[in-house]
Amino acid sequence: MTEITDVDALRRAMAENAEQPEGPARNARAEELLAAAEKLNVPLAVIEALGHQLKVYNYSSEKGKMFVPFARLLRMWDERPEDFDEYEAHSLHWVFKWVSSGMLDQPHIPLASIEKWLGEMERRYRLAGYSEAAVRSAEHSVAAHVGDVARAERAYAAWLAADRDAMSDCHACELHGQGWWQAELGRDEEALELWLPVLEGRYTCAHEPHTALASSLVPLLRLGRLDEARANHLRGFRLVRAMESMRGAYAEHVEFCALTGNEARGLELLAERPAYFTDDGQPQSRLDFLSVVTLLMDRLTALGLGDRLVPGPVGREWTARELAAHARADALALAARFDERNGTAHVGDRARARMARKPLVERLPLGVRSVGPAPVPAPPPPAPAPVDGQPDLPALLAEARRLSDHLRPHAVEAWAAVARAAEGVELDPRDRAEIADHEAMGLGPAGAELFEQAAVLYAEAGDPGEALAARARAAYVRALGGAVAEAVAAVEEPYEEVLALYAAGGTGTRQTAAVLMGRARILLRRAHAAETAGAAEGPGAEAVYGAEAVYGAAEAAVREVLALVEGRTGEDVRLAARAAEAQAMLAELAGLRGDLPAAVRLFARGAAAFVAAGLPWFAVEYEARLASLAHHLGDMAEAERALRAALEHGGAHLEAPGRAQLHLQLAELLGNRDEAVEAARHALEAAHWADEAGQSATLGAWARQQLGGFLLRQGRWAEAAEVLESALPDLTAETHGDGAIVQTQWWLGDCLSELGEHRAAAERRLQAAEIARTWPEQQDHATLAHLAGESLGQAGLTAEADRAYALAGELWRALGNPQGLVRSLRARAWLALRTQDGIAAARALMAEAFQECATARDEAPDEESRQRFVTELGHTHRQFGDLLARAATESDTGAPPPALFDEALSQLRRSSRVFASLGDGALHSRTDAELTAGWLEIELGRLTEARARARAVLTAYDGYDGETVRSRRAEAEHLLRVAADDRG
């Protein structure tokens, strides 16, 4: 550690410490620096070190340590105010506000002392000539804290009426405090209106919009503005995650999770900050945190997860139920200390009300991965009420038959309830047959033997037609298991028998249609198998002929079903379903034959028939397949219609995996049409339902990747970054392809760059470039290396940035991309200014850039290419001029070297001439260079030349209009005025 030997060294050390992360380590260093300052025997050094200590304490979990250094500072001011410079005198008065609010947060400080302090603050501000705005704001905080609403409202009004001055909090903090009070009174709309300039980023500071984003969450939920609440959570949590001092705001994000069905994410947040359970430097924020921990644990317990292990104070394991009791007891004990100090019950009442909040949304999808702690399946229909405590078996049977006869959802579950109720009860063969039949339906290929048992029972019950239908079902599930040939053979006997029985009047249309449909399904499975075999063997004439014969047999079987039920579908919903399914089967056959337009028409007909029969949930599969075919045919309008119809028709009966797939397909379709807002909504739904389906790491990761891209397109950088970071760990080359990983890293780098996180952006771009390095096509590798150079340069890593740009340049050269090469050379020239070689290295790189531009121009294959390289030459002259002017301005030799200014001006003139040669297409670039040259002329005292350039710009824009034109005209007129004023 460097020894502090003078005030300048102390100031450098304090500046370095101020850049460190919040927390005890930074606080400890501030204490060391105060000790070092005391050894210098310079009063101002001690004053500055005390001020630094106060600042780091305030922005940490050890706020309670502020009072001692502040008391010392105040004593030094009272004894020798002349030791304070203007800045430190201002800072001393400024910190009054921190100390007054900090006292409120400490229940051991008596309320009388706080009121006395408030009076002292008012007196000192008045003596210093400050307005009463900050004093009334502090008074409002005291009144609001103890629950004195009348006094708080008076102080609030006086605060707003007072003039803002040098002691007023920044606009962002003031608006947050004012909005907080409105929300506290239940005026959510007014609160959000006050916060809007902060939420939109018009006013910011070290802790804003961090706290406003957190405070806005519950008001937005109460108002039903869910999309905004989701966005503010993702944006806001990203800001507070690394800031130790923001436990109260962090708690509001945990609370948001508890109130929106995101309990699992709430647990993740708790796991990230174990110290928040015990840090006692600011009791008020600890009370806030423990209150929402209680809320979250109570919510888990209510979901039946009270015995689940959860993150809690270190040293032992905690279940949700145990942590709820512990957090509640600690929170209420803290609240009681505040209330005892305040003489009111307000703090305790607030804490209890917060703990008791009920969810405001059953489940609000966030887009980030967070598997719900308790998946809630769609509820089956209510069972009949038990009789005398026992299941009402006749009622259960009647309900199960009603559901199965009308093809309603949950029929299989209803028959399972019958089976459970019938244990130990003697049933007639018909009842037993139906129980076995429906149990088999839920088993897939494993249900063949149970279908055979059902057939025997149907025959015993005197229903030979239903017995044959059960045998046909047994054959079909064997085909599903891969035994297609055996199934074809097995179904022929029941098929022939049912036709004879139907002709003799021994069975009905429903039973006959069931057997015919079973046979048609089996023959369609054979057709699919033939198509697969044909594809493997190649398109020989024999294979084609054999496949067509199989297709023909399947089509004949399907049309036989249609002929049987034609004209009878209005009598029986089951027959209507047979007709609809037959249309869809014809569509499949058309697809196998390669007639995709016919397949689209027939799938649409089948889906419409299911809807017309009152069975829309059966249409979902066919609408989805129709959408895929329409997409393949380029009919995006029909694909979109079908996907939307599938989601609508599935409704509450659509299972999570299918719902996720449909939303994701619709998101991709809309995204390709540049409808990023709606595409993001569907990608969000896809991610949510993929999580519900247990497919977070597969389909969910892909949906999140797409969602992140759609958010990025909208400029929602923080939200996109959160989502993409959530997706990245689950994306694998084996499942998603390395292209998806590179694209995610690329997008994430773009987001981080926009957020000013340049080192992190560079890491993402370099990781993506490393993967792209192995690809045969190197365009992406070059682009990513170039972008990594940008980020490294912005992060101040000059040597690393130069290496990245150099790599990009080599790749651009190999790709035959002179523009990319020239831009990498220019970027390296700017970086060179930061190095020891400085201007000499920059000159060499710019000279190389000029040579590459000239070569590309002279070797251009056509006029369009030639003009593109001439444009690049103009920009290179312009940038070299700017670079030289920067070098002159930053010269450490005293006055800027005139020679460098002259050379810079020469480059700007060349730039202007190059752009002039390109005509109107480069007019804005030309005038930009002219104006820059004009300002440089003024710097050199060449006023006549500066005025000439300004007039040239005004003349160039005669007859033109537009935003850029108006802006350039205004700048030219300003340049004229400055040049005229300087002339005297």
Side-chain angles (χ1 to χ4, degrees), residues 120-207:
E120 181 69 9
M121 178 181 175
E122 183 171 10
R123 183 183 70 82
R124 288 178 180 266
Y125 274 33
R126 188 166 52 249
L127 287 173
Y130 296 123
S131 91
E132 65 172 14
V135 177
R136 297 287 77 81
S137 172
E139 182 188 5
H140 172 264
S141 297
V142 173
H145 174 76
V146 302
D148 187 343
V149 175
R151 182 187 179 194
E153 285 280 62
R154 289 194 303 273
Y156 182 86
W159 172 19
L160 267 58
D163 292 333
R164 282 182 52 81
D165 65 359
M167 281 300 111
S168 297
D169 282 341
C170 73
H171 279 291
C173 287
E174 281 214 333
L175 289 172
H176 174 253
Q178 291 161 13
W180 174 86
W181 179 240
Q182 297 301 321
E184 189 74 3
L185 297 177
R187 303 167 186 160
D188 292 336
E189 292 279 8
E190 291 87 342
L192 290 163
E193 186 175 349
L194 282 164
W195 289 328
L196 187 60
V198 183
L199 298 175
E200 290 182 343
R202 282 180 270 158
Y203 297 125
T204 61
C205 69
H207 278 188

Side-chain angles (χ1 to χ4, degrees), residues 576-577 579-581 583 604-615:
E581 184 180 355
Q583 295 289 347
R605 192 180 298 170
F610 272 122
V611 174
L615 304 169

Side-chain angles (χ1 to χ4, degrees), residues 691-965:
D691 287 345
E692 291 293 302
Q695 297 179 14
S696 292
T698 50
L699 183 61
W702 184 250
R704 270 181 274 282
Q705 194 255 12
Q706 293 290 296
L707 173 59
F710 296 138
L711 291 170
L712 179 144
R713 285 197 215 175
Q714 298 173 57
R716 296 162 66 176
W717 316 113
E719 296 167 69
E722 281 290 301
V723 171
L724 292 168
E725 286 171 347
S726 175
L728 201 52
D730 289 326
L731 292 170
T732 65
E734 296 75 19
T735 302
H736 306 93
D738 56 7
I741 299 173
V742 167
Q743 183 65 82
T744 305
Q745 297 275 28
W746 193 328
W747 281 339
L748 186 50
D750 291 348
C751 291
L752 296 170
S753 178
E754 292 287 345
L755 293 168
E757 300 175 32
H758 299 300
R759 186 184 289 264
E763 290 175 4
R764 296 302 184 180
R765 287 167 167 174
L766 289 169
Q767 288 165 2
E770 180 59 24
I771 298 173
R773 180 180 62 81
T774 64
W775 293 354
E777 217 297 313
Q778 288 289 284
Q779 177 75 25
D780 286 341
H781 186 200
T783 304
L784 285 162
H786 199 109
L787 289 170
E790 286 183 14
S791 294
L792 289 163
Q794 290 171 311
L797 301 171
T798 303
E800 293 87 342
D802 185 70
R803 285 196 293 271
Y805 278 128
L807 171 60
E810 292 170 11
L811 293 167
W812 292 130
R813 191 187 298 278
L815 286 165
N817 187 329
Q819 277 184 299
L821 173 57
V822 167
R823 290 171 184 180
S824 69
L825 288 166
R826 292 199 308 245
R828 293 180 67 197
W830 279 101
L831 288 171
L833 280 186
R834 306 180 192 173
T835 66
Q836 189 172 1
D837 295 337
I839 190 64
R843 282 183 194 283
L845 289 161
M846 282 295 188
E848 188 178 350
F850 286 131
Q851 182 58 51
E852 294 293 342
C853 283
T855 301
R857 176 198 60 198
D858 296 342
E859 297 177 357
D862 52 53
E863 181 59 23
E864 183 181 348
S865 299
R866 192 191 77 80
Q867 291 209 1
R868 188 164 64 250
F869 298 130
V870 171
T871 300
E872 210 61 56
L873 179 62
H875 286 305
T876 305
H877 281 299
R878 166 63 200 272
Q879 286 208 26
F880 194 21
D882 289 345
L883 183 151
L884 291 165
R886 170 79 64 82
T889 303
E890 295 178 353
S891 172
D892 56 7
T893 59
L900 278 180
F901 271 142
D902 280 335
E903 190 179 357
L905 192 55
S906 173
Q907 291 295 331
L908 291 168
R909 288 173 186 148
R910 291 182 189 183
S911 175
S912 178
R913 288 197 295 272
V914 169
F915 288 131
S917 74
L918 294 170
D920 287 353
L923 178 58
H924 293 328
S925 296
R926 172 192 156 200
T927 57
D928 190 34
E930 288 280 1
L931 288 167
T932 304
W935 290 112
L936 198 51
E937 304 268 27
I938 286 181
E939 194 75 29
L940 293 170
R942 300 169 184 172
L943 306 185
T944 302
E945 291 89 339
R947 291 193 296 274
R949 293 192 182 280
R951 292 190 185 103
V953 170
L954 293 171
T955 301
Y957 281 128
D958 281 346
Y960 290 89
D961 194 16
E963 185 176 344
T964 303
V965 173

